[in-house]
Amino acid sequence: MKKMFLIIGKVILVLVAFLLAYLLLVFAVPYIAVNNEDVEPAEDVEVYIKTNGVHTDIVVPIKTDYKDWSTSIAYSHIKSQDSTMQFIGIGWGDKGFYLNTPEWSDLTFRTAFVAAFGLGGSAMHATFYKEMKEGENCIKIKVSAQEYQALVDYIEQKFQFDVNGKPLLINATTYGQNDSFYEAKGSYNFFYTCNTWANNGLKVMNQKAALWTATDRGIFQHYN
């Protein structure tokens, strides 16, 4: 019995040590900035980073000379089917969290556990907008055509596609009139979150970003 208690005690200590180390990383590493200087000053495309207070989306214009997202993330995929929309917010995250937790009150222990430990699949979430309003939680970034193309490639690499090269649409009804979901690659976990994915998107464009972050705050502190 004594030996069992010793084993349990060691396990608890390891878990506590892991949690403390993780929290240190979460709060300290995001302060390390990368790409403080914009090496490509051209301002060909306006993109946005947008947070709901927890999750960061990268928002892109639906149609530009460089990319027409409506050919793959179609207006017909959203309930409103509103073709006057001008922007798409794109995010990556845990599939179960996206589909089963439209509100924080819907969060269950199982959903959180599966997401945190990378045990589930992932999804891309698209949100359509008619216009974007800058503010504390929505920052505009002007990038060059080359930087934007790098972002396009980065985003598309996360989608799963069918035999016709179209994103695999998920039949989800838990969100609003202007949202759609798609099958994605990779698994969400403690160290690779939705915000990590968005932060890496900024890195791809050579824009200001954190060295690493698990939270939206780690991104936005370099802009606000």
Side-chain angles (χ1 to χ4, degrees):
M1 184 64 70
K2 183 178 179 180
K3 186 176 181 180
M4 182 180 296
F5 279 121
L6 286 173
I7 293 173
I8 293 173
K10 288 181 179 179
V11 170
I12 292 173
L13 285 174
V14 169
L15 290 175
V16 170
F18 170 80
L19 180 59
L20 291 175
Y22 179 75
L23 291 175
L24 180 61
L25 288 173
V26 167
F27 287 104
V29 175
Y31 283 102
I32 304 174
V34 297
N35 301 330
N36 284 321
E37 294 185 10
D38 190 355
V39 296
E40 180 56 71
E43 299 180 344
D44 300 312
V45 184
E46 294 180 354
V47 302
Y48 297 80
I49 49 173
K50 189 176 189 301
T51 178
N52 62 4
V54 176
H55 169 89
T56 304
D57 280 345
I58 298 176
V59 185
V60 294
I62 294 177
K63 296 181 180 181
T64 64
D65 293 338
Y66 316 106
K67 175 68 177 179
D68 182 356
W69 290 96
S70 67
T71 62
S72 53
I73 306 176
Y75 298 113
S76 60
H77 293 171
I78 57 177
K79 291 180 183 178
S80 70
Q81 299 195 5
D82 187 347
S83 61
T84 66
M85 296 293 185
Q86 300 296 313
F87 298 90
I88 299 178
I90 301 174
W92 172 91
D94 178 74
K95 183 177 178 180
F97 205 103
Y98 266 144
L99 302 185
N100 302 323
T101 315
E103 302 290 343
W104 282 109
S105 58
D106 299 312
L107 181 63
T108 65
F109 174 80
R110 183 181 184 282
T111 297
F113 184 86
V114 169
F117 290 96
L119 302 176
S122 60
M124 302 297 286
H125 177 204
T127 307
F128 287 68
Y129 300 96
K130 287 192 175 181
E131 61 181 358
M132 300 304 299
K133 296 181 179 179
E134 293 181 81
E136 184 178 348
N137 294 327
C138 184
I139 306 296
K140 180 167 65 177
I141 304 169
K142 296 181 179 181
V143 301
S144 70
Q146 292 78 15
E147 290 168 337
Y148 184 62
Q149 187 58 58
L151 175 66
V152 170
D153 294 341
Y154 174 76
I155 292 173
E156 291 186 327
Q157 287 170 8
K158 270 297 183 182
F159 281 91
Q160 291 189 36
F161 296 94
D162 63 19
V163 293
N164 297 314
K166 299 296 184 181
L168 291 171
L169 180 67
I170 298 172
N171 183 21
T173 58
T174 52
Y175 279 67
Q177 296 292 310
N178 300 310
D179 298 80
S180 56
F181 292 88
Y182 306 86
E183 299 287 355
K185 300 174 184 176
S187 295
Y188 182 108
N189 58 64
F190 273 117
F191 297 100
Y192 191 80
T193 71
C194 52
N195 297 303
T196 310
W197 178 82
N199 186 67
N200 288 348
L202 292 170
K203 289 182 182 180
V204 163
M205 293 189 292
N206 294 315
Q207 301 301 304
K208 290 185 294 184
L211 179 64
W212 170 84
T213 185
T215 68
D216 61 334
R217 181 177 178 275
I219 296 172
F220 281 80
Q221 67 183 356
H222 297 289
Y223 288 88
N224 291 330

